[in-house]
Structures are given as C-alpha cells and as structure tokens.
Amino acid sequence: MVDIIQIKDLNKSFGDIHAVQNLSFCVKEGDLFAFLGVNGAGKSTTIHILCGQLQKDSGSVIIDGADIEHCPDDIKCKLGVVFQNSVLDAALCVQDNLQSRAALYGLTGPAFDQRLTELSKLLGFEDLLKRPVGKLSGGQRRRIDIARALIHKPRILILDEPTTGLDPQTRKILWNVIADLRKNEKMTVFLTTHYMEEAAEADYIVILDSGKISAEGTPLELKNKYTADYIMLYGVDEAAVKLLNVEYEQVRDAYRLTVPNTAKATELIVKHPEVFVDYEITKGKMDDVFLNVTGKKLEGGAGK
Amino acid sequence: MRTMGALVKRNVKLFFKDKGMFFTSLITPVILLVLYATFLGNVFRDSFQMNIPETVKLSEELIDGLVGGQLISSILAVSCVTVAFCSNFLMVQDRVNGSIKDLRMSPVKASFLAAGYYVSTLISTLIICFVATGICLLYVAAVGWYMSLSDVLLLMLDVVLLVLFGTALSSIINFFLSTQGQISAVGTIISSGYGFICGAYMPISSFAEGLQKVISFLPGTYGTALIRNHAMQGALAQMELQGVSGQLVESLKDALDCNLYFFGEQVSVGGMYLILGGTVTVLISVYILMNGLKKKQ
C-alpha cells in the first residue's frame, strides 16, 4: 500500500515550548491510523500543520504526493476534518451549514443536493435538515460534523477525538459509518482518541509524548512489546496457583496470572496440565500499552 | 462567484439570526430617538425660534421639518457606522467559536474569506440603513417635507458612502480582535462614543475649539455633514424664501454642522465627498494589505 501521508523530521515550537520534535511517520492509504498522546503531547499541533492551519518550523509533510508547503489548496481538498468541538454555525440549520461549507469546495446546485441526499442517508439525518445545529443533541451534531467533513469526498478523514462525550450507541453508529467508508471508498482515517479500545482497532498506532514518538507499531506489536499476557484460571484453589510461582491476583471466581508473553504462558500450561483445566489467555490492553510507554494515563477513556 | 455568494449568504443570515448583535447595533439610534422625543427636539426647536427675528414668521411645519431633518441625519450618520461594526463582529465571533478553523480548512484563501466578511457586512448594514432611511423619510414627510428628489438621492449616496466607510473601518479594527471581551469592549465604545464624535447628540459646532479641530481630522465627520446637508438644505432654503436672511441661514448651517471648517477653511460638499471617498479607498487598501501580509503562525 502507498504511503498517503509522509511526515519527516517535523519540528514546531511556540517560543520556548517544543510542541513537535523531529517527528517522522507514515500513514498507509486506506488504513485506520491512531495518533495517541496525553493533552499537550503535540497531536493537535501536528494535525493543524497537516491541515495547513499552522506553519511548520522545519521538516516535510507530503500528502498524497503533494508537499503541504507548495500545494496547500490541493491538499485541503483531500482532507476532511472532524474537530474535537463542533465548529458549525449553531444558529443556522443543518442544510444551510452544509450548503455554505460545500460551496467553499465549489460544490453548489444539483451536485450539492445529490451529495446532501447521499450523506443524509448514510448518516441518518434526513429529518434534521431544517433543524438549527444549536438545537441538536450531541450525537446528532456529531453526525452533522462528520457530514461536513465528508461533503467534498475527501481521501483522508481526520478525526480529532470524535466520540468524546457520546453515548455508546451513537459511538457505535459513527464507527459503523467510518468502517463502511473505509471499506467502500478506501478512505484513510487519521484518528486521535482517548478511548483505547477505539485505538485497538487501528491498523497502526503512533504514541506521542512531549512532542516525540515514544512508541509505534500495530496494536499487536505494541501489546507484545509493552504489556504482559494474562491467564485467567478458573476452578482452582490458591495453593495450586502459588505453586506455579508467577505473579497473580485474585479476581471474582478466578485467579489472574501475569506472564511475560504467550510463549511463557504455553510453557507454564504444558508444565502444569493438572492446574490448567479451565482457563483463557488474553493479551494486555491498549491502556496498559499507553501507561507503560508514557507512564501516564489517558484521561477520558477510564470513565467508559 | 457562487462560492462568494454562499459565504456572504451565510454571514448575512448569521447576523440577522443573532438577535443580540442585531439589537446592539440599534442601541445608539434608539438612544437618539429617545433623546429627541424627550427633550433634544424641543431644545433645538426653541433654539431655532429664538434665533429667528421676530419680524419673520416661520410655519410650525418648517421648524418641525428642520428639526426632523436634524434627527434623521443624526440617526443615519450613527447607524451607518455602529451597525457596520456590530455586523462585522461576526469575523471575531468566528474566531471565538472556532468556525474560522472550519472555513480555513477549505481551499479558499484567507483574503477571500476577508472579502466575504466585508461584502456581507456591507449588505447587512445597507439593508438596515436603507430600511432606516425609508422610515426616516416617512417621518420627515409626516412632520414637514422640504426635500427635493436630488436631496433624497444624494442622501442615499451619503448613506452608501458612510456604510462603506463604517465597514472598512470596522474591518480593520476587528482584524485585531479575538475574544468575546474585546467584542463587548469595542462594541460599547463604538455604540456610545461614535454618537458624540460625529456630532449626533450635540452639534460639533457646540464643542470646544480644540476638540472641533481634532474632530475635523476624522473622516466620518464629513459623512455626517453630507447627510445633514442633504436632509436639511430643503428646509433651510425654504426659510430663506420665507424671509430669513442669507447670513442667518449660513450661521444656522454652521450651528447645524452643515458647514464644516478645516482650520478655518470651509470644506465644500464636493470636498467632503472627496475626503470620504478617499478615506474609504485608503481603508479598503489597508484591509487588503493587512490580509495579504498576515502570516500563519
């Protein structure tokens, strides 16, 4: 697959604060790419540079073969952004909002009407077109934000914490739509999120800390590298668990054993088949990866 | 062109839907109306009658027409600028609520967005000021009509020029604002202060000489004088026809700010148009230059 976003040696400072330092990574076309970091890690700065809203100090940003410095307008046509907070006009109705934004991409008249029909069906807001955006619920407004980002059929969809504050059902609807877009239109999705289970669905993850990459890889690679495996062991007493000589904790109806990796788990099971009658092996979670990489916990996901 | 049309439509709709901003822009004209209705109208009416020789008998209608002309010229002179400022606050609101981020995500240039704000402010302000002009003319017709067709047409031209001026000035000042607090501060200063410096509450001729000299450097003053001339010259001409001496009419014109002086030299009506037109051109050029020179952070 082609690298649709190539960032090399990117630097950006605000006075003495080095928001982004020698950042280099690539995003493959059609991938769901997760960009993680605590607040102030440099995610938003990078996104603003990608979108042409901020000037970089040095380095290069190539999007779909075009340099952001030389062809910013071409690149803007290929990007759709869902901002952390809705930036649509609260006083205007949904249709007026989308119409004014579509016109900025030269999409007017029947072409706009057709696109509006497509998107309202896709995101299920046909009955909201005449409602002022300010009167919509959080979930309804998020759907309109996504429609705005998709209005000009971008190749890359940037989602800046798109599901923060949404109820589980709305989150599910949004992720289903995004999955459809990726499947049917091969859209690349660049995601920042505080929900680690969303990041766990990504094809590739970059974790940013203090403006630098502190870890990157597929979710499996990161889990293998930064977390242990866990064995849930059922139907045994503590004395038997103690004999295994591994770190453990008692949870309801079971003991949770911590082993360095799956190979060690297999070794343990083979060595003590009499103990491992009823058990399951799980990888560590992305929360653990993030905590182990940065030493910090992402705010927002915990409450879920 | 369609893109600009859509942008302007969005901005104009937002201004008229934001009732707070819309009514704020009408505060000064409403204050003026209240002042004239309660006492200022009577003060001016008595002042005119006292200055007219007893040998000359002027009709009540003529006096009312002159006072009405003064009222409408004050209202229009103030509205053209304060409404433009309030309408143009949309560019700051967009920065405050983040909408500008969304607009700048599109492939249109920042200068295009700036032009969109200018044109939409111009349209919103013209709509309000033309409606206000219509109401003002109906009022004058009710109390005493002495305006000719050319006076009405020139009054319209004055309104357009003053709106162009107010829009350009507000574009430059609002360019530097980025918070709700700044909007409130500038809005309050303009709404309350502009009425004084343009002579809407009290004629500039009644100010101290030093202040008059300072005000003579403000281009908006000449816009007010133009509107005063075209709103009142019919009534003043009628006074002359009814026996008031030319000298007295000239002194009335001085007192009513129809005549303006720049360091003792009377500025002609043509000169006032040149000053206002030239200022509008300079301000728009500065606004374009500011947007052109503005760099991303």
Short mmCIF file of all heavy atoms in Angstrom, two decimals, chain B residues 188-224:
data_model
loop_
_atom_site.label_atom_id
_atom_site.label_comp_id
_atom_site.label_asym_id
_atom_site.label_seq_id
_atom_site.Cartn_x
_atom_site.Cartn_y
_atom_site.Cartn_z
N THR B 188 -19.17 48.52 22.91
CA THR B 188 -19.65 49.56 23.84
C THR B 188 -19.05 50.92 23.49
O THR B 188 -19.76 51.93 23.44
CB THR B 188 -19.27 49.19 25.29
OG1 THR B 188 -19.71 47.86 25.53
CG2 THR B 188 -19.90 50.12 26.28
N ILE B 189 -17.74 50.91 23.22
CA ILE B 189 -17.08 52.19 22.91
C ILE B 189 -17.68 52.81 21.64
O ILE B 189 -18.00 54.00 21.60
CB ILE B 189 -15.54 51.97 22.73
CG1 ILE B 189 -14.91 51.63 24.08
CG2 ILE B 189 -14.88 53.21 22.13
CD1 ILE B 189 -13.49 51.11 23.98
N ILE B 190 -17.85 51.98 20.62
CA ILE B 190 -18.37 52.50 19.35
C ILE B 190 -19.82 52.96 19.52
O ILE B 190 -20.18 54.07 19.11
CB ILE B 190 -18.28 51.42 18.23
CG1 ILE B 190 -16.82 51.07 17.93
CG2 ILE B 190 -18.99 51.89 16.96
CD1 ILE B 190 -15.97 52.21 17.42
N SER B 191 -20.63 52.10 20.17
CA SER B 191 -22.05 52.45 20.31
C SER B 191 -22.25 53.74 21.08
O SER B 191 -23.08 54.57 20.74
CB SER B 191 -22.81 51.34 21.03
OG SER B 191 -22.77 50.18 20.27
N SER B 192 -21.45 53.90 22.16
CA SER B 192 -21.67 55.09 22.98
C SER B 192 -20.84 56.28 22.48
O SER B 192 -21.29 57.42 22.54
CB SER B 192 -21.33 54.79 24.43
OG SER B 192 -20.02 54.27 24.52
N GLY B 193 -19.65 56.01 21.99
CA GLY B 193 -18.73 57.10 21.64
C GLY B 193 -18.94 57.72 20.28
O GLY B 193 -18.79 58.93 20.11
N TYR B 194 -19.33 56.90 19.30
CA TYR B 194 -19.39 57.44 17.94
C TYR B 194 -20.46 58.53 17.81
O TYR B 194 -20.29 59.50 17.08
CB TYR B 194 -19.61 56.33 16.90
CG TYR B 194 -19.42 56.86 15.50
CD1 TYR B 194 -18.14 57.10 15.00
CD2 TYR B 194 -20.51 57.18 14.70
CE1 TYR B 194 -17.96 57.65 13.74
CE2 TYR B 194 -20.33 57.71 13.43
CZ TYR B 194 -19.06 57.94 12.96
OH TYR B 194 -18.88 58.48 11.72
N GLY B 195 -21.56 58.37 18.57
CA GLY B 195 -22.63 59.38 18.54
C GLY B 195 -22.11 60.75 18.93
O GLY B 195 -22.55 61.77 18.39
N PHE B 196 -21.16 60.78 19.89
CA PHE B 196 -20.61 62.06 20.33
C PHE B 196 -19.67 62.64 19.28
O PHE B 196 -19.80 63.80 18.91
CB PHE B 196 -19.85 61.89 21.66
CG PHE B 196 -20.76 61.90 22.84
CD1 PHE B 196 -21.02 60.73 23.55
CD2 PHE B 196 -21.37 63.08 23.25
CE1 PHE B 196 -21.87 60.74 24.64
CE2 PHE B 196 -22.23 63.09 24.34
CZ PHE B 196 -22.48 61.92 25.04
N ILE B 197 -18.71 61.81 18.84
CA ILE B 197 -17.67 62.40 17.98
C ILE B 197 -18.19 62.76 16.58
O ILE B 197 -17.58 63.57 15.90
CB ILE B 197 -16.39 61.52 17.87
CG1 ILE B 197 -16.72 60.13 17.32
CG2 ILE B 197 -15.66 61.43 19.18
CD1 ILE B 197 -15.46 59.34 16.94
N CYS B 198 -19.31 62.15 16.19
CA CYS B 198 -19.83 62.55 14.87
C CYS B 198 -20.86 63.67 15.02
O CYS B 198 -21.42 64.14 14.03
CB CYS B 198 -20.41 61.36 14.11
SG CYS B 198 -22.07 60.92 14.61
N GLY B 199 -21.09 64.11 16.26
CA GLY B 199 -21.99 65.25 16.47
C GLY B 199 -23.46 64.90 16.43
O GLY B 199 -24.29 65.77 16.19
N ALA B 200 -23.76 63.62 16.67
CA ALA B 200 -25.17 63.21 16.61
C ALA B 200 -25.94 63.69 17.83
O ALA B 200 -27.09 64.09 17.72
CB ALA B 200 -25.27 61.70 16.49
N TYR B 201 -25.31 63.65 19.02
CA TYR B 201 -26.00 64.07 20.23
C TYR B 201 -26.03 65.60 20.34
O TYR B 201 -27.06 66.18 20.65
CB TYR B 201 -25.31 63.47 21.47
CG TYR B 201 -25.33 61.96 21.52
CD1 TYR B 201 -24.19 61.23 21.83
CD2 TYR B 201 -26.50 61.26 21.26
CE1 TYR B 201 -24.21 59.85 21.88
CE2 TYR B 201 -26.53 59.87 21.31
CZ TYR B 201 -25.38 59.17 21.62
OH TYR B 201 -25.40 57.81 21.67
N MET B 202 -24.87 66.20 20.12
CA MET B 202 -24.75 67.66 20.14
C MET B 202 -23.95 68.07 18.90
O MET B 202 -22.99 67.39 18.55
CB MET B 202 -24.00 68.12 21.40
CG MET B 202 -24.75 67.89 22.71
SD MET B 202 -26.31 68.77 22.79
CE MET B 202 -25.73 70.45 22.97
N PRO B 203 -24.32 69.18 18.25
CA PRO B 203 -23.57 69.60 17.06
C PRO B 203 -22.09 69.83 17.39
O PRO B 203 -21.77 70.31 18.48
CB PRO B 203 -24.25 70.90 16.64
CG PRO B 203 -25.58 70.88 17.28
CD PRO B 203 -25.45 70.09 18.54
N ILE B 204 -21.24 69.51 16.42
CA ILE B 204 -19.80 69.69 16.62
C ILE B 204 -19.49 71.17 16.88
O ILE B 204 -18.58 71.51 17.63
CB ILE B 204 -19.03 69.17 15.37
CG1 ILE B 204 -19.24 67.66 15.24
CG2 ILE B 204 -17.55 69.49 15.44
CD1 ILE B 204 -18.83 67.10 13.89
N SER B 205 -20.29 72.03 16.27
CA SER B 205 -20.06 73.48 16.43
C SER B 205 -20.19 73.93 17.88
O SER B 205 -19.68 74.99 18.25
CB SER B 205 -21.04 74.25 15.55
OG SER B 205 -22.37 73.92 15.94
N SER B 206 -20.88 73.09 18.71
CA SER B 206 -21.04 73.48 20.12
C SER B 206 -19.89 72.98 20.99
O SER B 206 -19.83 73.28 22.17
CB SER B 206 -22.37 72.96 20.66
OG SER B 206 -22.37 71.55 20.61
N PHE B 207 -18.97 72.21 20.39
CA PHE B 207 -17.82 71.69 21.14
C PHE B 207 -16.75 72.78 21.29
O PHE B 207 -16.77 73.78 20.56
CB PHE B 207 -17.18 70.48 20.42
CG PHE B 207 -18.06 69.25 20.37
CD1 PHE B 207 -17.72 68.17 19.56
CD2 PHE B 207 -19.22 69.15 21.12
CE1 PHE B 207 -18.51 67.04 19.50
CE2 PHE B 207 -20.03 68.02 21.07
CZ PHE B 207 -19.67 66.97 20.25
N ALA B 208 -15.79 72.55 22.20
CA ALA B 208 -14.67 73.48 22.36
C ALA B 208 -13.85 73.52 21.06
O ALA B 208 -13.83 72.53 20.30
CB ALA B 208 -13.80 73.02 23.52
N GLU B 209 -13.18 74.65 20.85
CA GLU B 209 -12.47 74.84 19.57
C GLU B 209 -11.41 73.77 19.31
O GLU B 209 -11.28 73.26 18.20
CB GLU B 209 -11.82 76.22 19.56
CG GLU B 209 -11.61 76.73 18.15
CD GLU B 209 -11.04 78.14 18.15
OE1 GLU B 209 -11.46 78.96 18.99
OE2 GLU B 209 -10.15 78.39 17.32
N GLY B 210 -10.69 73.42 20.38
CA GLY B 210 -9.64 72.40 20.24
C GLY B 210 -10.22 71.06 19.81
O GLY B 210 -9.69 70.39 18.92
N LEU B 211 -11.34 70.70 20.44
CA LEU B 211 -11.99 69.42 20.11
C LEU B 211 -12.52 69.45 18.68
O LEU B 211 -12.43 68.47 17.94
CB LEU B 211 -13.12 69.16 21.11
CG LEU B 211 -13.77 67.78 21.07
CD1 LEU B 211 -12.74 66.67 21.24
CD2 LEU B 211 -14.84 67.65 22.14
N GLN B 212 -13.03 70.62 18.29
CA GLN B 212 -13.53 70.75 16.90
C GLN B 212 -12.41 70.49 15.90
O GLN B 212 -12.61 69.86 14.87
CB GLN B 212 -14.08 72.16 16.69
CG GLN B 212 -15.46 72.36 17.27
CD GLN B 212 -16.04 73.71 16.85
OE1 GLN B 212 -15.97 74.09 15.70
NE2 GLN B 212 -16.61 74.42 17.82
N LYS B 213 -11.21 71.01 16.25
CA LYS B 213 -10.06 70.82 15.34
C LYS B 213 -9.69 69.34 15.25
O LYS B 213 -9.37 68.83 14.18
CB LYS B 213 -8.87 71.64 15.83
CG LYS B 213 -8.99 73.09 15.41
CD LYS B 213 -7.74 73.87 15.67
CE LYS B 213 -7.92 75.29 15.11
NZ LYS B 213 -7.30 76.30 15.92
N VAL B 214 -9.71 68.67 16.41
CA VAL B 214 -9.39 67.22 16.41
C VAL B 214 -10.41 66.47 15.57
O VAL B 214 -10.05 65.65 14.71
CB VAL B 214 -9.37 66.68 17.87
CG1 VAL B 214 -9.24 65.15 17.87
CG2 VAL B 214 -8.24 67.30 18.66
N ILE B 215 -11.68 66.80 15.79
CA ILE B 215 -12.75 66.09 15.08
C ILE B 215 -12.68 66.36 13.57
O ILE B 215 -13.05 65.50 12.76
CB ILE B 215 -14.12 66.47 15.69
CG1 ILE B 215 -14.27 65.80 17.05
CG2 ILE B 215 -15.27 66.06 14.78
CD1 ILE B 215 -15.51 66.18 17.82
N SER B 216 -12.15 67.52 13.20
CA SER B 216 -12.06 67.84 11.76
C SER B 216 -11.09 66.90 11.04
O SER B 216 -11.08 66.83 9.82
CB SER B 216 -11.65 69.29 11.56
OG SER B 216 -10.31 69.49 11.96
N PHE B 217 -10.27 66.18 11.82
CA PHE B 217 -9.36 65.21 11.20
C PHE B 217 -10.04 63.85 11.00
O PHE B 217 -9.48 62.98 10.34
CB PHE B 217 -8.11 65.01 12.08
CG PHE B 217 -7.09 66.10 11.91
CD1 PHE B 217 -7.03 67.16 12.80
CD2 PHE B 217 -6.18 66.06 10.85
CE1 PHE B 217 -6.10 68.17 12.64
CE2 PHE B 217 -5.24 67.07 10.69
CZ PHE B 217 -5.20 68.13 11.58
N LEU B 218 -11.22 63.67 11.59
CA LEU B 218 -11.89 62.38 11.47
C LEU B 218 -12.77 62.37 10.22
O LEU B 218 -13.70 63.19 10.10
CB LEU B 218 -12.75 62.09 12.71
CG LEU B 218 -12.02 62.16 14.06
CD1 LEU B 218 -12.99 61.92 15.21
CD2 LEU B 218 -10.89 61.14 14.11
N PRO B 219 -12.49 61.47 9.30
CA PRO B 219 -13.21 61.48 8.02
C PRO B 219 -14.72 61.26 8.16
O PRO B 219 -15.49 61.80 7.37
CB PRO B 219 -12.58 60.32 7.23
CG PRO B 219 -11.34 59.96 7.95
CD PRO B 219 -11.50 60.38 9.36
N GLY B 220 -15.13 60.49 9.18
CA GLY B 220 -16.56 60.21 9.36
C GLY B 220 -17.37 61.48 9.57
O GLY B 220 -18.55 61.56 9.21
N THR B 221 -16.72 62.51 10.15
CA THR B 221 -17.38 63.79 10.40
C THR B 221 -17.95 64.38 9.10
O THR B 221 -19.04 64.96 9.09
CB THR B 221 -16.34 64.78 10.99
OG1 THR B 221 -15.67 64.13 12.05
CG2 THR B 221 -16.98 66.06 11.48
N TYR B 222 -17.18 64.21 8.03
CA TYR B 222 -17.62 64.78 6.74
C TYR B 222 -18.81 63.99 6.18
O TYR B 222 -19.63 64.55 5.45
CB TYR B 222 -16.44 64.82 5.75
CG TYR B 222 -15.32 65.69 6.32
CD1 TYR B 222 -14.28 65.14 7.05
CD2 TYR B 222 -15.38 67.08 6.18
CE1 TYR B 222 -13.30 65.94 7.62
CE2 TYR B 222 -14.40 67.89 6.75
CZ TYR B 222 -13.37 67.31 7.46
OH TYR B 222 -12.41 68.12 8.03
N GLY B 223 -18.88 62.70 6.52
CA GLY B 223 -20.04 61.90 6.13
C GLY B 223 -21.30 62.41 6.83
O GLY B 223 -22.36 62.56 6.21
N THR B 224 -21.14 62.72 8.13
CA THR B 224 -22.27 63.26 8.89
C THR B 224 -22.72 64.59 8.28
O THR B 224 -23.92 64.84 8.10
CB THR B 224 -21.86 63.50 10.36
OG1 THR B 224 -21.22 62.32 10.84
CG2 THR B 224 -23.05 63.82 11.23
#
